[in-house]
Amino acid sequence: AIFTLWRLGKVFMSKTAIVTDSNSGITQKLAKELGVFVLPMPFVINGETFFEDISLSQEAFYEKLQSDAAISTSQPAPGDILDLWDTLLQDHDAVVHIPMSSGLSGSCAAASALAAEYDGRVAVVNNQRISVTQRQSVMDAAALARAGKSAAEIKEVLEKVKFESSIYIMVDTLQYLKKGGRITPAAAAVATVLRIKPVLQIQGEKLDAFAKARNEKQARTIMLEAMRRDMENRFGGADQLRLFVAHTNNAAAAEEFSAMLRQELGVDITYCDPLSLSVSCHIGPGALAVACSKKIDRYL
C-alpha cells in the first residue's frame, strides 16, 4: 500500500470515516492526529512516480521543480481508493470522501463512479474546494460526524455551503502557468518584463484572474482589501469566518502576511501552511495566498 492505515481504537471511533486527498494540505502525520484518512496524490517526475508526503516531500518537490524537471500530476489509482474504503468499512458504517474540486480535477467524478457500487455507504462530496478550504471542509466533516450526522447528512451540508469560501493568490512568476497552458506565452513575457505580480482567485470551481499588482507589497494590499470586502459583504462579518494563509516555499513572507492580516482585519489566522503540491506545481514557488471559509456552527 502507498499509505499506512491505522486503527483508531478507543481514542476516537466515529461511525463515519472521513477521507480526503493530499490536495487538502493535510499531512499523513496530521491526519493521524485528526482521526481522518488522506490519499496521497501521485506525481510523475521525469518518468518516475512519487506520492505526496509519502515518497515526495515539499523540499524535494521544489528542488525538482526549480531544476526544470518534467512534472505532471495524476489522480489516485482506483485500486488505492477502493482498498482504503474497503478497509475503513470493516470498522465504520460509512465513508465520507472529500476530493479536490471537480472543476480542477477528474478525481471527484472518478470517486463518484466508484462509490456507486457501495449501496450508499460511501458519500463523495463535490464541494468545489481545494487546498486550505478543502482542509476546512474535512475539519467540518469531522465535526459533523462527531455531532452524530450521517454520511448523507454530512455530504448535504458540505455541498450546501460549498461557495461559502474564498481564495486569493499572489503568483510570483507566470512561468509555471505558461508551462501548463493556463496563460499564453506572450502574456507571461509581458508580465515578466513589467515585473507584474498577478493576483488570482478561486471562487468555487476555477482558478481565475483577479488583479495585477506592480509589486508584492501592492499584491498583499489587494488581497487584504478583497478579503475585507468578502468578510463584510458576502459572509456577514469577521466572527462568521475562519481565515487561512498559505504559500509555496515562502514561509517567512507568509508569516509576515499573517501578522498584517491579523492587525488589519482583527481576525486570528486558523492556520498558515504550505499549499498542496498539486497547486504548487501549477503556480510555482514564491506564491502567497489568503483564504476564508464560513463557519458551519448552524449545522452542528
Side-chain angles (χ1 to χ4, degrees):
I2 58 174
F3 51 85
T4 301
L5 281 178
W6 59 93
R7 294 190 182 276
L8 298 176
K10 296 180 181 179
V11 176
F12 172 74
M13 179 58 74
S14 169
K15 292 181 179 179
T16 301
I18 308 300
V19 173
T20 188
D21 54 48
S22 59
N23 288 302
S24 64
I26 298 176
T27 64
Q28 297 295 324
K29 179 181 178 182
L30 180 58
K32 280 190 177 183
E33 296 171 5
L34 297 174
V36 301
F37 302 86
V38 175
L39 282 158
M41 296 301 291
F43 290 78
V44 179
I45 303 177
N46 292 336
E48 185 177 355
T49 300
F50 297 84
F51 295 93
E52 183 169 4
D53 197 39
I54 300 290
S55 56
L56 183 64
S57 67
Q58 287 265 333
E59 295 77 14
F61 171 81
Y62 284 109
E63 286 178 9
K64 294 176 185 297
L65 187 69
Q66 292 176 293
S67 69
D68 207 29
I71 302 178
S72 61
T73 56
S74 186
Q75 300 175 23
D80 291 328
I81 298 171
L82 296 175
D83 285 348
L84 177 57
W85 290 352
D86 289 343
T87 302
L88 291 174
L89 289 171
Q90 294 176 23
D91 294 324
H92 300 79
D93 293 339
V95 169
V96 172
H97 185 94
I98 307 171
M100 70 184 292
S101 171
S102 62
L104 297 168
S105 169
S107 296
C108 186
S112 295
L114 295 173
E117 302 299 318
Y118 280 78
D119 296 324
R121 295 189 71 195
V122 176
V124 177
V125 177
N126 183 14
N127 79 329
Q128 323 294 152
R129 296 196 182 183
I130 181 66
S131 189
V132 288
T133 55
Q134 181 184 351
R135 171 174 169 170
Q136 188 56 49
S137 292
V138 174
M139 304 295 286
D140 291 342
L144 289 163
R146 287 193 296 272
K149 303 291 186 184
S150 68
E153 289 170 329
I154 294 170
K155 171 181 167 71
E156 181 181 4
V157 170
L158 294 184
E159 292 184 348
K160 186 177 293 185
V161 303
K162 63 185 178 181
F163 295 128
E164 294 180 359
S165 67
S166 186
I167 301 177
Y168 298 96
I169 309 171
M170 179 210 77
V171 179
D172 189 54
T173 173
L174 290 175
Q175 172 188 347
Y176 300 95
L177 285 167
K178 180 183 73 171
K179 186 183 291 186
R182 285 164 173 78
I183 60 167
T184 65
V190 169
T192 301
V193 170
L194 298 178
R195 297 189 177 181
I196 290 170
K197 299 290 185 187
V199 177
L200 311 176
Q201 63 177 331
I202 300 177
Q203 307 293 345
E205 291 190 350
K206 300 289 186 180
L207 181 67
D208 200 3
F210 180 72
K212 296 175 183 176
R214 292 186 300 276
N215 51 51
E216 184 171 325
K217 181 179 179 181
Q218 186 184 39
R220 292 187 192 193
T221 300
I222 288 171
M223 291 191 290
L224 164 68
E225 293 306 323
M227 189 55 63
R228 192 195 307 275
R229 286 192 298 272
D230 283 351
M231 293 172 84
E232 294 173 355
N233 300 331
R234 291 177 58 193
F235 300 126
D239 62 332
Q240 299 296 310
L241 293 180
R242 289 185 172 85
L243 194 64
F244 323 112
V245 172
H247 64 92
T248 57
N249 205 29
N250 203 13
E255 291 295 340
E256 291 178 9
F257 190 37
S258 295
M260 172 186 176
L261 291 165
R262 274 193 296 266
Q263 180 176 348
E264 294 292 330
L265 300 177
V267 181
D268 286 334
I269 307 300
T270 302
Y271 34 78
C272 175
D273 284 329
L275 282 163
S276 58
L277 297 185
S278 291
V279 177
S280 306
C281 184
H282 296 300
I283 65 176
L288 277 178
V290 59
C292 71
S293 66
K294 191 170 182 179
K295 296 176 182 177
I296 62 157
D297 297 357
R298 62 198 184 277
Y299 295 106
L300 294 172

